[in-house]
């Protein structure tokens, strides 16, 4: 994946559609950070489950967080910090939610590697993403 050339952006990143624009707040900020990593609501749920299996909820819940109707908990901020590859203290400063009140260690090494992969994938084309996915599936079948 890292050997694939990163393509320059052909056009500016479009703003999110109206149904994915949220009032300013911690939830909207977190969803914007997830969007910058090409994680939609369901992709965010899958990544969070990797970070901590306690976060097995629906994509609609992610939307509700963005709308500010569901509170960010310390545990969720810690898991999001891991998924986003952001130090938990930095995300705490941005959201106003201190993850040290949570009960989990926010730095699971395997999930941190996944966060790095997500960041590296952000500038690949759709075709390159399909190529990476095909190679990953082939590698998992050999394991």
């Amino acid at each position: 994946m890292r050997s694939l050339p990163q393509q320059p952006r052909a056009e500016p990143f479009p703003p999110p559609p109206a149904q994915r624009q949220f009032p300013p707040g911690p939830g909207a900020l977190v969803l914007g950070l997830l969007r910058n990593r090409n994680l939609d609501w369901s992709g965010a749920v899958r990544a969070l489950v990797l970070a901590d299996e306690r976060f097995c909820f629906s994509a609609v819940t992610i939307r509700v967080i963005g709308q500010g109707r569901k509170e960010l908990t310390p545990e969720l901020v810690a898991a999001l910090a891991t998924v986003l590859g952001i130090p938990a203290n930095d995300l705490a400063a941005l959201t106003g939610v201190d993850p040290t009140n949570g009960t989990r260690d926010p730095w699971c090494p395997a999930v941190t590697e996944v966060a790095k992969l997500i960041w590296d994938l952000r500038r690949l084309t759709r075709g390159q993403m399909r190529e990476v996915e095909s190679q990953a599936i082939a590698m998992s079948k050999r394991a």
Side-chain angles (χ1 to χ4, degrees):
M1 177 198 69
R2 289 187 177 113
S3 67
L4 293 172
Q6 295 225 345
Q7 302 296 318
R9 190 173 301 280
E11 57 190 49
F13 196 67
Q19 70 270 24
R20 292 186 184 245
Q21 293 180 14
F22 303 109
L29 174 97
V30 166
L31 265 64
L33 292 169
L34 290 165
R35 187 169 185 262
N36 285 342
R37 285 152 180 84
N38 291 330
L39 288 171
D40 60 9
W41 300 338
S42 59
V45 168
R46 287 190 297 270
L48 283 167
V49 169
L50 282 174
D52 189 328
E53 69 244 6
R54 292 181 292 163
F55 295 107
C56 188
F57 45 64
S58 73
V60 172
T61 303
I62 297 293
R63 182 189 75 210
V64 172
I65 289 169
Q67 293 169 331
R69 296 184 331 184
K70 179 170 176 53
E71 191 175 301
L72 285 173
T73 64
E75 294 85 7
L76 183 55
V77 169
L80 284 164
T82 303
V83 166
L84 293 167
I86 297 173
N89 290 337
D90 291 350
L91 192 56
L94 293 170
T95 62
V97 179
D98 184 3
T100 58
N101 293 335
T103 58
R104 73 180 287 282
D105 175 6
W107 293 108
C108 171
V111 177
T112 300
E113 288 303 311
V114 171
K116 288 178 187 175
L117 285 173
I118 290 169
W119 185 251
D120 289 341
L121 287 170
R122 76 193 185 288
R123 295 293 293 268
L124 297 181
T125 65
R126 185 169 285 148
Q128 289 172 318
M129 291 286 289
R130 286 189 187 112
E131 183 181 333
V132 169
E133 180 183 25
S134 296
Q135 289 179 6
I137 290 170
M139 288 170 58
S140 70
K141 289 180 180 177
R142 285 183 271 183

